[in-house]
Structures are given as structure tokens and as C-alpha cells.
Amino acid sequence: MAEHDLKEYRDKRRNSTTSEPSGETSTSAEGVGAVTPVFVIHRHDATNLHFDFRLEIDGVLVSWAVPKGPSLDPSTKRLAHRTEDHPYDYADFEGRIEEGYGAGTVIVWDTGTFENATEIDGDEVSASQGLDNGHLVVVLHGQKLAGAFALTQTKMNGDEANWLLVKVDDSGADRRRRPTSTQNESVLSGRRNQDIAADEH
């Protein structure tokens, strides 16, 4: 099982210049093996606008940066670059990150719970095992996204951090709806990235 260490998260941030959680509270209140793990998708308007796709696995938020955001079209593959694990208390973070790593504005674009539906050779396995094996299937119960999504490690261009995020063709699929383009507000506060920039500049 993969080791989840928040040292990389802490090393990339200076607590004196960021409003982000410090990472000292590293795991969820339920701890490892929570019955209803959470997912969160942050809309992060940094040097380049992207969406951070995060799954609670083993008490931390395992994270991928998705440049174009998740698609509801099963025929569309999205690059998802694995980034450092984030602390559980990052799940409801919104704010402006000042100069430095990740500088820009962050909102909670979508959040909810998820079910693990990962299988290896027809047998159900834990999300942690799926992560180790480079393939995860999760069923999201969010406000903007619903249904199953698959994450598969591709090692594209020789980089083990490169994965693909694809919508599974189920009742949550929609080849016409483009939520990442048409629904830009936070599901927690109703604010948009530009609102945060104005509020906290």
C-alpha cells in the first residue's frame, strides 16, 4: 500500500505567505477506512487555469491536476497529472494564494462523497490498491458531477505522474453538457474565482 506523506505538501508552502491549511492536521476525522470518503474538485486559477481532482484515500486527499477539467463525455480523455497529497482539511479550502507555489485563486467547484468501484482481474480491491496498480474507478456523488470516473496511469512521456481521467458511460454521462465551462461558481460559497480575487486582493 502506498505511503502517504504530507512532507512534500508542507515543503512547497510557506505558512507565512499562504492562507492554505498548514497540513499539521493530516488525516480525516474518521481516519483511514472512512465509510463515506469525500472527493473535492478545486477550480484553481493560477498561472494556468486548471481543476484539482482530489480523492480521500487513507485519510489524505490524493490529488491530480486536470488542465481542462473533468468531462462528462465518455469519449473524451483528460490528462490528469498526479501532484502531492493534500491534507484532509484542504477539502473546504477557498481563498487567494499569494506569491509562490500555486499562486492564484481557489474555489471548491464540486464536492461530495464517492464509492470505490475499482477491480483488478474481476475482483474488487481498495482504492489504495487501485492507486498502487495505476487504475482507479470511483462513483462520484457530487452537486455537478455524478456517476463513475476512471483514472488510469499512462506514464505518458516517461512521466509516472501522468494519468488519464475518463467518464464511464453510465447514467451520469452527458455528451452535451459542459459544466467546467458553464458552471464556474463554488458549490460552497457561490463565489467565482474572480470574486475571491476582488475580495482578498
Side-chain angles (χ1 to χ4, degrees), residues 1-6 57-58 60 62 82 85 128 131-132:
M1 185 172 67
E3 292 292 326
H4 297 287
D5 185 354
L6 293 173
I57 299 176
D58 297 338
V60 301
V62 178
R82 177 87 185 271
D85 294 342
S128 186
L131 189 65
D132 285 347

Side-chain angles (χ1 to χ4, degrees), residues 25-94:
T25 304
S26 60
T27 60
S28 67
E30 295 88 353
V32 176
V35 176
T36 53
V38 303
F39 83 91
V40 62
I41 300 173
H42 283 106
R43 188 177 191 270
H44 189 176
D45 193 359
T47 304
N48 296 300
L49 175 67
H50 63 279
F51 292 77
D52 292 309
F53 188 97
R54 311 190 198 282
L55 300 172
E56 180 192 352
I57 299 176
D58 297 338
V60 301
L61 297 176
V62 178
S63 301
W64 292 262
V66 185
K68 294 185 178 180
S71 172
L72 296 177
D73 184 348
S75 67
T76 300
K77 298 179 175 64
R78 295 293 201 218
L79 174 66
H81 189 81
R82 177 87 185 271
T83 62
E84 72 275 12
D85 294 342
H86 281 51
Y88 179 80
D89 53 3
Y90 207 99
D92 60 0
F93 171 71
E94 293 190 332

